Amino acid sequence: MSDPSDDLRAFLTSVHPYNALPGDVLDGLLSAFRAQDYAGGEAIYTFGEPLAGLYLIREGAVEITDERGNTVSLLSARNTFGERGLTRDGLAATTAHASADTRLLVLPRADFLRLIETQEVAARFFDRSRPAKAQRDDLANSRIDALMSREPLTCGPDTPVQQAAQQMRDRHVSSICVTDGTRLLGILTLRDLGSKVLAEALAPDTPVRRVMTENPLSLPPDALGSDVLHTMMEHRIGHIPVTEGGALRGIVTQTDLTRFQALSSGHLIHDIAKASDVESMAAATAQIPTLLVQLTAAGTRHEVTTRLITDIADAVTRRLLTLAEEKLGPPPVRYLWLACGSQGRQEQTGVSDQDNCLMLDDTVTPDQMPYFHDLARIVSDGLHACGYVYCPGDMMATNPRWCQPLRVWRSYFNKWIRTPNPEAQMLASVMFDLRPIGGDATLFDGLHSDTLALASRNSIFVAHMVSNALKHTPPLGLLRGIATIRSGEHKNTLDLKHNGVVPVTDLARIYALQGRLTPVNTRARIRAALEAQLLSPSGGQDLLDAYDVIAEARLDHQCTRIKAGEKPDNFLAPTALSDFERSHLRNAFVVVKALQASLGQGRGTLS
């Protein structure tokens, strides 16, 4: 089976690295690729079997799982898979099946190996020492300031070419920008050194001004990835300086584009799933800030971005549990590791601590408890090393209070509901966001729904929970203008966590409690409350829109700090926003405040 060559050519030229291949090489691939159709659910290959070749998704969707059946990637059109096995022994390193009706293009192994041996752009792309590519559209739609290197190598125009070459060697880069102060004068590349210096036998002390490309093509910081791609292709160049008012701000190279395309949550999870130690996992999670910037720059919705970021934390936790069992031996009884807080709600951003606990089978004996204390310490320490810092409130499985048999957990919830003192309200709020991560999930069966039913029937407990939920208020001052923090380290900023997303999270939790709604994610809870008519259609949609505005402002702020080389936080200065942005944010706070007032008055709806 084959695709018409014209259609296949058009498709391949929309996919990297094929769009960067010489015309004659691409022509050769047209006859080599073979189309293969799979029905949804049908196996493509299984772990350990010989691979037919390199797989490129023409249309449809494919799920990739490891040898234990854990999902490591969910792929769609223009994604490639199978290359890792092809470059080793030709055997599948994963299992793949079509998750929808799918058409694949298969490039036989011999043709694939010949391609990466003869074409550098293909070899770089399929180099599995780096993560695999994300969807091309993400790159095309991203701003150039999310792609560029912010500290390009520079030299003066009178620098000897030998010294410039040594600087490039030492920095492991392929170009150097020639500047006068911050003003860009030209650029010198490895190609220039070969064709203009070595080929012409110029002296080592030749000044770079004689061989540089003067007034090179450049782009502004607000250009898109598509502008970079088009410029590189049209002018056949691999380096584009980024300038603003003539001043050099950065540089984008083909390597930057490859690196950007290579980063995805799926491949980070793949790297984590095969990691043999904490250091390898930490190397993967260190890329989360870059991934966050990439996702936001591509216009990914906040709830998708935070879900993808949380999936990485889940994968780290499960891998640490596996490593802990390998060290300690099989667990003496069934256990379940659960996350609460933002990980439990699948809402992690670039700033996350750890909130977790352990539920144990009721048959556990006192002499078996040290095993689980050791397991908790291994996992918690590993999470901390991977950037998920210890919980300041000690809400972790390492705390014996939160490492208990199931019967104790049931008694906890029953006591909190019967006696809703301030501590009980706080703990119940945290524990209502529990989500199973690793272990035997059947231990959690029924506990969540039973607790919701018990709590919703206790009107005194619900009233206390409502009162507790109203303690976090949006930052509105007189006449509902935006009010900033008045003193301290974060003076004149807004806390977009505690006064932004947390009030919405608290509202959604109350709606879930009132309606016995099982979702844990904030947005899913609001939607479920709408369907259960706990919120009026207009009030519910307003709350969803308000939450989106606040959550996206929070992610945008974190990305701004990451791109500036700073650690992400939740403190936004309103002066950094345009009048339009401030207006929308203020309106969002007003919606949340109105719903809080409605809930506090016992109405629970907003028409």
Side-chain angles (χ1 to χ4, degrees):
M1 183 186 305
S2 62
D3 279 10
S5 60
D6 288 345
D7 290 346
L8 180 55
R9 173 182 280 276
F11 176 72
L12 290 179
T13 54
S14 71
V15 180
H16 195 73
Y18 311 103
N19 58 356
L21 296 176
D24 59 333
V25 176
L26 184 60
D27 289 338
L29 293 179
L30 297 181
S31 58
F33 270 110
R34 289 290 180 267
Q36 182 68 50
D37 293 326
Y38 293 86
E42 185 177 355
I44 300 168
Y45 59 70
T46 58
F47 177 79
E49 73 176 29
L51 287 165
L54 179 74
Y55 294 88
L56 172 61
I57 303 175
R58 178 72 188 260
E59 56 186 46
V62 173
E63 180 179 12
I64 308 294
T65 57
D66 63 18
E67 59 268 37
R68 297 184 179 182
N70 299 314
T71 299
V72 295
S73 291
L74 296 173
L75 306 176
S76 57
R78 293 183 171 83
N79 286 159
T80 297
F81 60 98
E83 62 271 31
R84 188 156 60 94
L86 292 176
T87 55
R88 298 193 309 178
D89 51 12
L91 302 179
T94 55
T95 294
H97 73 267
S99 47
D101 290 348
T102 297
R103 167 164 284 203
L104 299 178
L105 297 174
V106 185
L107 183 65
R109 186 187 185 201
D111 294 285
F112 169 69
L113 294 178
R114 188 180 307 113
L115 176 66
I116 61 175
E117 287 170 1
T118 59
Q119 301 298 317
E120 183 182 357
V121 65
R124 286 201 311 267
F125 178 74
F126 291 115
D127 179 2
R128 283 351 224 177
S129 63
R130 293 188 299 247
K133 87 182 188 83
Q135 292 185 10
R136 182 175 180 270
D137 285 346
D138 289 349
L139 171 62
N141 297 329
S142 298
R143 280 173 52 111
I144 198 172
D145 62 1
L147 312 173
M148 69 183 188
S149 300
R150 294 181 175 275
E151 297 182 0
L153 184 63
T154 62
C155 70
D158 296 320
T159 303
V161 291
Q162 184 180 47
Q163 182 180 331
Q166 291 169 342
Q167 289 180 255
M168 293 162 66
R169 177 201 62 195
D170 294 343
R171 281 276 295 270
H172 304 288
V173 296
S174 57
S175 66
I176 187 168
C177 292
V178 184
T179 58
D180 178 9
T182 61
R183 186 167 64 92
L184 178 66
L185 302 178
I187 188 170
L188 182 70
T189 68
L190 288 178
R191 179 181 296 179
D192 294 326
L193 290 173
S195 63
K196 298 179 181 180
V197 180
L198 289 177
E200 299 297 331
L202 295 183
D205 59 356
T206 301
V208 295
R209 67 164 71 247
R210 284 188 53 191
V211 292
M212 71 181 184
T213 299
E214 295 186 46
N215 302 316
L217 284 169
S218 65
L219 290 171
D222 60 354
L224 299 179
S226 56
D227 298 321
V228 177
L229 289 169
H230 297 164
T231 303
M232 285 185 173
M233 291 177 185
E234 180 180 355
H235 299 279
R236 299 183 180 181
I237 57 177
H239 305 78
I240 300 180
V242 179
T243 60
E244 189 172 24
L248 182 66
R249 294 287 181 253
I251 190 169
V252 179
T253 68
Q254 289 180 336
T255 301
D256 294 321
L257 299 187
T258 302
R259 186 181 299 114
F260 186 92
Q261 289 176 308
L263 188 59
S264 72
S265 59
H267 206 82
L268 289 184
I269 289 173
H270 174 270
D271 290 345
I272 290 164
K274 69 178 183 180
S276 59
D277 51 41
V278 172
E279 290 74 19
S280 299
M281 283 183 275
T285 56
Q287 299 180 71
I288 289 177
T290 302
L291 176 63
L292 180 61
V293 170
Q294 175 176 319
L295 291 169
T296 303
T300 308
R301 288 186 57 86
H302 72 88
E303 70 270 23
V304 176
T305 296
T306 54
R307 170 65 180 270
L308 295 175
I309 298 297
T310 305
D311 285 348
I312 297 171
D314 292 354
V316 171
T317 305
R318 285 190 286 268
R319 186 59 182 155
L320 287 169
L321 287 169
T322 298
L323 294 178
E325 287 187 25
E326 290 176 356
K327 180 177 181 179
L328 301 173
V333 299
R334 297 182 304 152
Y335 74 86
L336 178 61
W337 185 282
L338 301 102
C340 43
S342 60
Q343 184 182 1
R345 297 189 303 273
Q346 296 178 299
E347 294 168 2
Q348 287 190 314
T349 66
V351 186
S352 298
D353 58 6
Q354 54 176 291
D355 299 280
N356 45 61
C357 62
L358 269 171
M359 288 184 182
L360 311 177
D361 189 277
D362 281 336
T363 61
V364 67
T365 60
D367 63 310
Q368 293 170 333
M369 290 301 294
Y371 175 96
F372 295 105
H373 295 154
D374 290 342
L375 180 139
R377 174 54 59 192
I378 291 172
V379 176
S380 183
D381 287 349
L383 288 170
H384 183 78
C386 289
Y388 306 100
V389 299
Y390 300 125
C391 174
D394 204 18
M395 185 70 69
M396 297 181 294
T398 51
N399 184 338
R401 187 179 186 185
W402 310 126
C403 177
Q404 293 290 340
L406 179 58
R407 64 178 181 275
V408 175
W409 280 102
R410 286 190 177 276
S411 70
Y412 283 165
F413 280 105
N414 290 338
K415 180 180 179 181
W416 295 336
I417 292 168
R418 290 195 312 268
T419 312
N421 58 40
E423 184 190 38
Q425 296 167 32
M426 183 273 293
L427 294 175
S429 294
V430 172
M431 294 302 176
F432 276 136
D433 294 349
L434 284 175
R435 182 172 61 88
I437 302 298
D440 191 334
T442 61
L443 288 171
F444 197 57
D445 288 350
L447 178 60
H448 190 210
S449 57
D450 291 349
T451 301
L452 281 175
L454 180 65
S456 64
R457 290 194 298 265
N458 188 323
S459 59
I460 295 177
F461 174 76
V462 172
H464 278 279
M465 288 293 288
V466 169
S467 176
N468 186 63
L470 300 181
K471 291 179 180 178
H472 294 107
T473 59
L476 293 171
L478 294 176
L479 303 178
R480 294 195 170 182
I482 291 180
T484 59
I485 297 172
R486 295 182 179 180
S487 60
E489 179 184 0
H490 302 295
K491 182 179 180 181
N492 297 327
T493 66
L494 307 173
D495 185 343
L496 289 179
K497 178 181 178 180
H498 292 102
N499 300 115
V501 296
V502 167
V504 183
T505 298
D506 288 344
L507 283 172
R509 188 183 299 110
I510 294 299
Y511 298 139
L513 174 60
Q514 291 177 331
R516 305 183 189 180
L517 308 175
T518 56
V520 176
N521 174 266
T522 296
R523 215 172 189 281
R525 279 173 166 169
I526 297 172
R527 287 200 172 278
L530 262 170
E531 293 175 4
Q533 298 183 342
L534 294 171
L535 284 165
S536 69
S538 60
Q541 189 58 54
D542 282 349
L543 183 57
L544 283 172
D545 292 343
Y547 181 51
D548 290 344
V549 169
I550 298 167
E552 287 169 7
R554 182 189 184 197
L555 286 183
D556 286 343
H557 167 68
Q558 291 188 6
C559 289
T560 297
R561 289 186 60 86
I562 292 169
K563 289 188 288 187
E566 301 171 329
K567 290 185 177 181
D569 66 19
N570 295 301
F571 299 98
L572 169 69
T575 53
L577 303 175
S578 68
D579 290 342
F580 180 84
E581 291 168 328
R582 280 197 300 273
S583 176
H584 273 268
L585 193 57
R586 183 186 65 247
N587 290 342
F589 292 148
V590 169
V591 168
V592 177
K593 186 69 173 178
L595 272 165
Q596 285 185 326
S598 177
L599 189 67
Q601 293 168 6
R603 297 197 303 273
T605 61
L606 179 65
S607 301

